[in-house]
Amino acid sequence: QTDRMWLEATPGWRDIGGEAAMSQEFGAAVEAFVQLRKESKDGLGPRGGTLCFGDSDLRPIYKREVDALPPSLNELGIGANVALRDLQFSQALRAALRTHKSVVGIIGDGHLAGITQLMKQDPKIRVVKEGVPLPPPDWDADLKDGGRKWEKEALGGANLFMRLVEALDEAPLGSWIGAEAVLELEAMKEETAQRIEKDGLDAEPAAPVSSQLGADFSGRGLLITPKTEADLRRWLSGERLEGQEVGEFPFENRKLRKTPSKLPSTGFPYSKEEAAKAEEEEASIAA
């Protein structure tokens, strides 16, 4: 939480979105991918050339001009929302297994039990070795009453639940990033680490915000959100997919504050230049 508050309040970092502090498995996936490629002497790597972000992708269904607030991270981690995200994860993982010779899954511990249970239900998947025993997922008990609790959430207007259902339809297999883009992300991370070592907390990240990265990678054909496995296979074979839209990044912090956060130990006041820029942006939005 401290990391999140620091991100949201610090110039150069606040546009990223504080949720970046919570998404440790994404960074771990990039690191694991790069390490696998470094194992090969020619740098091409012994395993595949793609990275898949398999969590629920809210970009296709989030509209900044309509949705006043980004989704709540706390709400994403409770009730039927977790089950929907586990289903999303497992669909993406199955697609990876069907289209690649080998797959490494980087999964947060809150989703491991659910994804494992869903994967085991696939008759084409055989478990050859298990590590630490896993308890049933938290949502397993809800299945015993026929899903009536989830039905109540849906009928009761649980906004995020229905949005996750939409996300499952719009982006059923996750978003896929080519090796070139993944290596660029890791290089940006390493450059940022060097800046922090040199300049301390005054350092700024080497990478732009997610929307700029997404637009760049999508424009170069290095990022896709396939609707079908057939689309994914075409892209993996080198074909350029048309009609790929970057969409909105709901956790990007676009609205900058003039004054520090009221929470203790957070926020830095705007400089004169930042305050003037913020006023111009607000005036243009109002117009």
Side-chain angles (χ1 to χ4, degrees):
Q1 187 65 21
T2 301
D3 291 346
R4 178 181 182 181
M5 291 188 293
W6 184 87
L7 285 170
E8 290 177 337
T10 305
W13 296 84
R14 56 189 166 196
D15 292 351
I16 294 174
E19 284 71 17
M22 310 294 185
S23 303
Q24 303 300 322
E25 58 268 38
F26 294 132
V30 172
E31 291 178 359
F33 181 94
V34 173
Q35 185 58 44
L36 288 172
R37 296 181 70 84
K38 287 181 178 179
E39 291 176 4
S40 175
K41 294 181 180 179
D42 57 11
L44 296 178
R47 299 182 174 91
T50 51
L51 178 67
C52 173
F53 288 149
D55 202 348
S56 296
D57 193 341
L58 300 177
R59 291 176 301 138
I61 61 171
Y62 179 85
K63 303 300 179 185
R64 191 172 295 276
E65 65 274 11
V66 176
D67 299 298
L69 297 174
S72 165
L73 277 189
N74 290 333
E75 194 177 351
L76 280 168
I78 60 175
N81 296 335
V82 179
L84 283 173
R85 292 173 62 203
D86 286 351
L87 180 60
Q88 178 86 60
F89 273 124
S90 63
Q91 286 190 173
L93 190 53
R94 285 190 185 94
L97 290 169
R98 288 192 295 262
T99 55
H100 292 71
K101 291 182 179 179
S102 61
V103 176
V104 177
I106 309 294
I107 299 168
D109 58 4
H111 295 280
L112 185 57
I115 294 172
T116 300
Q117 179 163 313
L118 290 169
M119 296 293 285
K120 285 182 175 180
Q121 293 175 2
D122 190 329
K124 296 181 179 180
I125 295 177
R126 181 168 58 92
V127 178
V128 296
K129 184 178 181 181
E130 291 190 76
V132 178
L134 295 172
D138 292 338
W139 47 260
D140 188 60
D142 295 334
L143 293 178
K144 296 178 181 178
D145 69 351
R148 283 193 288 270
K149 179 180 178 181
W150 299 350
E151 184 179 8
K152 289 179 181 178
E153 289 189 32
L155 295 177
N159 183 52
L160 186 55
F161 177 84
M162 296 308 299
R163 303 300 291 276
L164 291 177
V165 172
E166 292 178 46
L168 195 60
D169 290 336
E170 292 291 329
L173 304 180
S175 292
W176 299 72
I177 303 177
E180 182 180 345
V182 181
L183 295 177
E184 288 181 23
L185 289 174
E186 181 65 14
M188 293 175 192
K189 178 182 178 182
E190 292 175 355
E191 169 63 22
T192 300
Q194 293 175 6
R195 293 184 183 185
I196 293 175
E197 290 179 357
K198 178 182 178 182
D199 300 326
L201 295 181
D202 292 329
E204 293 199 1
V209 294
S210 297
S211 57
Q212 295 176 10
L213 283 171
D216 176 34
F217 292 158
S218 180
R220 292 156 58 191
L222 298 174
L223 166 66
I224 65 162
T225 304
K227 283 279 193 179
T228 65
E229 189 174 311
D231 287 341
L232 174 60
R233 290 182 181 276
R234 286 166 48 209
W235 179 73
L236 290 171
S237 67
E239 183 176 339
R240 185 72 173 264
L241 295 185
E242 301 298 332
Q244 292 290 309
E245 297 182 2
V246 177
E248 294 274 8
F249 285 76
F251 296 115
E252 224 172 67
N253 180 22
R254 300 281 185 86
K255 188 174 182 180
L256 306 182
R257 300 190 187 100
K258 291 183 181 179
T259 56
S261 169
K262 295 180 181 179
L263 293 173
S265 303
T266 66
F268 298 97
Y270 271 6
S271 65
K272 292 181 179 180
E273 294 78 8
E274 289 176 319
K277 182 179 179 181
E279 289 178 355
E280 292 177 359
E281 291 178 348
E282 289 181 0
S284 64
I285 292 174

